[in-house]
Amino acid sequence: MKANPIEDQTQKFEKGLKSSGAEQYVLRLYVTGTTAKSVQAITNIKRVCEQHLKGRYALEVVDIYQRPVLAKTEQIIAAPTLVKLLPSPLKKMIGNLANTERVLLGLDLRPKEGGAEK
Amino acid sequence: MKAKAKRNAEPVSEALEKAAMGIPGLDEITGGGLPKGRPTLICGSAGCGKTVLSMEFLVRGAVEQGEPGVFMAFEETEEDLTKNVASLGFNLRTLTAQKKVVVDYVHIERSEIEETGEYDLEGLFIRLGHAIDSIGAKRVVLDTIEALFVSLPNEAILRAELRRLFRWLKDKGVTAIITAERGQEAFTRHGLEEYVADCVILLDHRINDQISTRRLRVVKYRGSIHGTNEYPFMIGKEGVSVLPITSLGLEHAASELRISSGVPRLDAMLGGKGYYRGSSVLVSGTAGSGKSSLAAAFVDAAARRGERCLYFAFEESQSQILRNMRSIGIDLEPAVRAGLVQFHAARPTLCGLEMHLLEIHDAIRKLKPKVVVIDPVTNLMSTGTGNEVKSMLTRLIDCFKTEQITAFFTSLTSGESAPEQTEVGVSSLMDTWLLARNIEANGERNRGLYVLKSRGMPHSNQIREFVLSSQGIQLLDVYVGGDTLLTGSARLAQESREKAAASQRQQEIARRSRELEREGQAIEAQIATLRAGLEAKAEQFKLEIAQDSRRQTALLEAEMKIGRSRMADSAMGLGGKHKPQRNGV
């Protein structure tokens, strides 16, 4: 029962890897109302996504003031936090996403130093 | 009293309000609890009980004070926490279901985190705020918020946010505990004491001679007086207990009642009535001087009066004591079976001093005994330094006195030290001090006992020989001959000598009295002879007088006959009689 979805995911992942640069990105940005940092974060992630992930991303912006329960279930401490749900591994980027280099690194859109691993 | 209470009430409203911890002892030290509506820092090294203490604060607040609480855990998951505190008797699951406690586990995986710019910890604030609002929490625990320093890279932001967090907690009006790891030089590794400065409690876990003791100290408490000492504490089956459990005042009432020591002769030595109820009795002596036997006699007497007794044995097991005491005619078994006498036998090195003290307290609370025996108190020495033991005993005695429990301590004196000195230095705390000593003479060793002091009663100043036999404990007079004491067989010899001398004396007296009697009888006989002689003489005398008067009469008659024959004038009578007589002469 349980084995199937995992297998499916693995297959999907491997397929995705093969068709490189074509993975679907599922992102969720947790913000706190309309604070300066929140607004900056939204602007920044939109820019990055449009530039690098055009057409293959889903971005959801969540205001944790509105949905505080999510802060607990999703283990959100810092705000703003961008969570990369897919492709795995899960990654959390905290801050207003002003440092584009680091955002790209977090989104696995920049090859890490030392070349490709595996 | 009422006026006093009113006078006291006014400044209280001005003074700091406190949130009771509900932890025995800690509320006394802090004068009522933690500062209400303010954060308190609890710091200590790993494994010293920070989590347990703060969890107990939360649970007791929720259950006993009606103050719901939020526990924000940074190190343990909800599952682990629930399991861990279940061993202390707290059921977190039930409390969570009843909306009395919320546990929020904050987990940050360092490898998942990428810092991409400016941020704040608003997420944490929202989580905490939501948890507080969801149950109307009055208490909050952050355990251990320092974990954030490991997970979040930007220390400057973190510090600023923590400062904001503590201020925010204060504004919320919740009583908060923030736990932190002990740092090398400062109280905490990351200097949290800079932000949380209202109350700082330091926990410590020290090992002395392989025995660990937990200690607690209130380092700082703004706006309140507090105990400044280091207090030992224990994490027991029912959570944290801090000593002192009792106040250290000297306010106990002194009883006038007297109870028997179980040895009639000893009662006689103590003014004829025995110990005071609620007093503390110490018996000191070298090994084998009969201390435990005196204790058993006392317990036996108490059980016979129907009083409950607690016997803390640090040297022998229960069955060993029962067997040994049977050999001197004290059978405690029926009392044990009836539940009147309870034994607590443990090696003193089993746990630290404070653990023993708390165990004693616990046992007292459960059994509510009238008599407690600690045999021997000197064995506790091995679990702490002299000062610690003394302060522990002070507390213990204080507790006994307030509960009106008569406490019986035995103290083992080693051969070298003076018998008038107890190793734990507690003799000054005792009301009655009996000294059992071995008297060695004539190649034997005998037991002696005397009352060194006994407050508030006249007591004998004599040494008694203390004999243990199958008939029980007996105290006998010792013989003081010349400058030595006679005990044992020497006493018996002296006794028989005296008996012989006494019987000799008695015989002499009997002889003398018989002699005297005989002498008296002889004299009586002599008197009788003399009296008989006298009577015979008197008889003779009477006879002579009678003869004489008969002769006279006869003479007179003869004269008258002659006269009659001469003159025949009988009418002249006597006169006539005289004349012829004169004429005749």
Side-chain angles (χ1 to χ4, degrees):
Chain A
M1 281 281 279
K2 266 190 173 178
N4 283 344
I6 290 171
E7 241 170 60
D8 285 352
Q9 288 237 325
T10 324
Q11 280 169 355
K12 256 188 208 166
F13 181 61
E14 278 167 355
K15 258 185 204 167
L17 269 184
K18 274 172 194 164
S19 54
S20 58
E23 302 118 305
Q24 279 292 322
Y25 272 78
V26 180
L27 305 173
R28 198 178 280 161
L29 179 65
Y30 295 92
V31 294
T32 47
T34 52
T35 56
K37 284 194 267 294
S38 302
V39 174
Q40 286 158 12
I42 294 169
T43 329
N44 287 335
I45 191 62
K46 276 189 175 159
R47 196 189 66 237
V48 170
C49 286
E50 282 304 308
Q51 281 176 8
H52 299 270
L53 298 166
K54 198 169 171 69
R56 54 187 182 106
Y57 75 91
L59 176 69
E60 189 188 356
V61 178
V62 176
D63 182 0
I64 45 176
Y65 280 138
Q66 307 288 324
R67 301 170 70 185
V69 182
L70 277 184
K72 183 177 177 177
T73 53
E74 299 303 313
Q75 291 291 355
I76 303 302
I77 293 169
T81 298
L82 175 72
V83 181
K84 179 186 67 130
L85 296 164
L86 276 176
S88 51
L90 187 113
K91 202 92 188 174
K92 283 177 182 166
M93 279 147 276
I94 57 173
N96 62 0
L97 308 167
N99 188 336
T100 313
E101 279 302 303
R102 299 202 76 124
V103 175
L104 291 176
L105 204 67
L107 291 174
D108 285 330
L109 291 172
R110 275 279 182 278
K112 275 176 186 153
E113 288 103 278
E117 299 158 287
K118 280 190 181 177
Chain B
M1 276 302 279
K2 267 187 181 173
K4 204 174 177 186
K6 255 184 194 170
R7 220 177 301 143
N8 279 348
E10 268 177 56
V12 163
S13 60
E14 290 269 323
L16 195 64
E17 246 189 285
K18 294 188 180 177
M21 301 274 279
I23 295 170
L26 194 51
D27 284 339
E28 272 96 340
I29 296 168
T30 51
L34 301 181
K36 197 166 192 145
R38 295 186 190 191
T40 294
L41 182 69
I42 293 182
C43 44
S45 48
C48 67
K50 300 185 294 286
T51 306
V52 171
L53 186 69
S54 45
M55 182 55 94
E56 192 169 351
F57 162 75
L58 207 70
V59 171
R60 292 213 184 277
V63 176
E64 289 163 16
Q65 316 280 331
E67 294 192 350
V70 173
F71 194 97
M72 199 166 232
F74 292 83
E75 282 175 335
E76 287 173 284
T77 63
E78 272 187 66
E79 281 290 300
D80 288 347
L81 263 177
T82 308
K83 272 184 206 152
N84 295 350
V85 299
S87 65
L88 302 172
F90 307 139
N91 193 338
L92 268 190
R93 228 179 280 283
T94 321
L95 288 171
T96 317
Q98 290 170 343
K99 289 196 173 276
K100 283 179 175 166
V101 170
V102 168
V103 180
D104 187 358
Y105 168 56
V106 177
H107 173 76
I108 316 158
E109 193 66 59
R110 181 72 175 93
S111 61
E112 289 177 356
I113 296 281
E114 194 76 56
E115 202 186 288
T116 62
E118 271 180 48
Y119 62 92
D120 53 39
L121 293 183
E122 195 60 28
L124 191 71
F125 282 73
I126 289 169
R127 277 172 85 160
L128 197 51
H130 177 67
I132 291 171
D133 295 340
S134 69
I135 56 164
K138 296 268 184 289
R139 297 180 177 203
V140 168
V141 172
L142 302 172
D143 177 55
T144 307
I145 203 159
E146 277 183 321
L148 288 180
F149 281 93
V150 183
S151 346
L152 296 177
N154 193 330
E155 211 180 299
I157 290 179
L158 197 54
R159 285 189 182 281
E161 285 297 290
L162 285 182
R163 195 184 294 271
R164 189 162 73 93
L165 177 67
F166 299 142
R167 206 168 45 235
W168 178 79
L169 283 172
K170 240 180 183 172
D171 291 343
K172 275 253 175 200
V174 292
T175 311
I177 286 185
I178 290 107
T179 65
E181 285 280 315
R182 184 82 207 265
Q184 288 290 339
E185 278 154 21
F187 287 128
T188 61
R189 198 170 286 167
H190 297 279
L192 284 183
E193 64 270 21
E194 282 177 42
Y195 315 124
V196 193
D198 284 303
C199 180
V200 178
I201 294 173
L202 194 66
L203 304 184
D204 192 12
H205 199 187
R206 244 177 287 162
I207 296 175
N208 252 343
D209 287 336
Q210 300 167 2
I211 291 160
S212 81
T213 312
R214 294 173 197 276
R215 288 188 177 79
L216 175 148
R217 181 160 70 99
V218 179
V219 179
K220 169 176 185 178
Y221 199 148
R222 262 189 201 158
S224 168
I225 48 161
H226 59 87
T228 51
N229 296 349
E230 269 193 328
Y231 300 95
F233 77 98
M234 186 187 85
I235 300 173
K237 290 179 197 112
E238 280 141 29
V240 176
S241 312
V242 183
L243 302 170
I245 288 172
T246 52
S247 64
L248 290 177
L250 276 172
E251 286 154 4
H252 46 260
S255 173
E256 289 288 334
L257 285 172
R258 301 277 282 267
I259 50 174
S260 168
S261 63
V263 183
R265 192 70 194 268
L266 183 57
D267 291 345
M269 285 172 82
L270 296 165
K273 290 177 200 158
Y275 314 124
Y276 276 114
R277 185 177 288 292
S279 67
S280 31
V281 181
L282 176 75
V283 178
S284 65
T286 51
S289 53
K291 302 178 297 292
S292 301
S293 308
L294 276 173
F298 183 47
V299 167
D300 187 44
R304 276 176 209 285
R305 288 192 299 269
E307 294 170 8
R308 281 189 296 272
C309 315
L310 255 178
Y311 197 115
F312 291 94
F314 293 125
E315 241 165 20
E316 296 174 282
S317 73
Q318 172 176 343
S319 65
Q320 199 183 342
I321 292 173
L322 290 179
R323 182 202 67 196
N324 295 351
M325 290 311 143
R326 247 196 310 276
S327 76
I328 57 160
I330 299 172
D331 191 5
L332 293 174
E333 197 137 5
V336 171
R337 236 179 280 126
L340 278 174
V341 176
Q342 227 179 64
F343 280 88
H344 281 251
R347 283 266 161 227
T349 42
L350 180 72
C351 48
L353 200 56
E354 90 284 8
M355 193 89 160
H356 281 298
L357 187 43
L358 283 159
E359 252 174 27
I360 293 171
H361 274 290
D362 269 358
I364 288 170
R365 211 175 43 231
K366 277 183 202 130
L367 189 69
K368 300 206 180 307
K370 287 272 182 211
V371 167
V372 170
V373 173
I374 296 184
D375 178 33
V377 77
T378 24
N379 264 25
L380 291 172
M381 275 297 283
S382 53
T383 62
T385 64
N387 269 345
E388 283 169 343
V389 176
K390 187 168 183 185
S391 81
M392 165 195 160
L393 285 176
T394 313
R395 284 169 188 159
L396 203 57
I397 289 167
D398 194 53
C399 158
F400 290 151
K401 291 206 163 164
T402 33
E403 304 276 329
Q404 285 286 300
I405 295 169
T406 315
F408 194 98
F409 302 88
T410 67
S411 164
L412 180 71
T413 328
S414 70
E416 300 95 58
S417 56
E420 284 85 3
Q421 189 186 336
T422 50
E423 292 196 20
V424 262
V426 289
S427 46
S428 59
L429 302 168
M430 299 295 169
D431 298 313
T432 299
W433 186 3
L434 308 175
L435 206 118
R437 54 182 289 196
N438 289 313
I439 301 162
E440 232 175 289
N442 302 332
E444 15 177 281
R445 185 162 219 205
N446 294 296
R447 300 184 178 91
L449 182 89
Y450 61 93
V451 181
L452 205 98
K453 77 164 176 185
S454 193
R455 287 175 182 155
M457 60 176 90
H459 54 88
S460 165
N461 63 346
Q462 282 175 318
I463 297 183
R464 295 270 182 276
E465 186 176 351
F466 174 43
V467 179
L468 297 175
S469 67
S470 56
Q471 272 85 51
I473 298 172
Q474 279 171 297
L475 292 176
L476 306 170
D477 286 322
V478 291
Y479 284 85
V480 185
D483 50 357
T484 52
L485 291 167
L486 298 183
T487 54
S489 61
R491 172 181 54 78
L492 288 177
Q494 178 72 18
E495 230 164 30
S496 65
R497 262 203 301 281
E498 288 206 356
K499 218 177 259 171
S503 79
Q504 213 173 358
R505 253 198 326 275
Q506 226 146 29
Q507 279 169 2
E508 177 76 8
I509 288 166
R511 192 181 58 78
R512 289 280 303 277
S513 84
R514 272 199 306 276
E515 220 168 67
L516 206 64
E517 208 178 322
R518 261 201 308 278
E519 211 171 303
Q521 276 168 358
I523 288 169
E524 284 295 324
Q526 269 182 331
I527 290 170
T529 323
L530 285 174
R531 186 167 289 145
L534 187 70
E535 269 168 23
K537 272 182 193 162
E539 203 75 19
Q540 181 72 28
F541 184 56
K542 255 190 230 163
L543 215 63
E544 276 170 22
I545 287 173
Q547 277 176 350
D548 189 54
S549 79
R550 260 199 311 274
R551 212 182 296 135
Q552 283 281 339
T553 329
L555 209 62
L556 202 63
E557 271 174 22
E559 228 175 275
M560 279 173 70
K561 252 178 214 169
I562 295 166
R564 239 180 344 249
S565 64
R566 271 184 200 163
M567 305 156 85
D569 54 344
S570 59
M572 288 208 28
L574 275 172
K577 186 185 100 180
H578 278 287
K579 261 177 195 166
Q581 201 177 13
R582 208 178 292 139
N583 288 348
V585 173

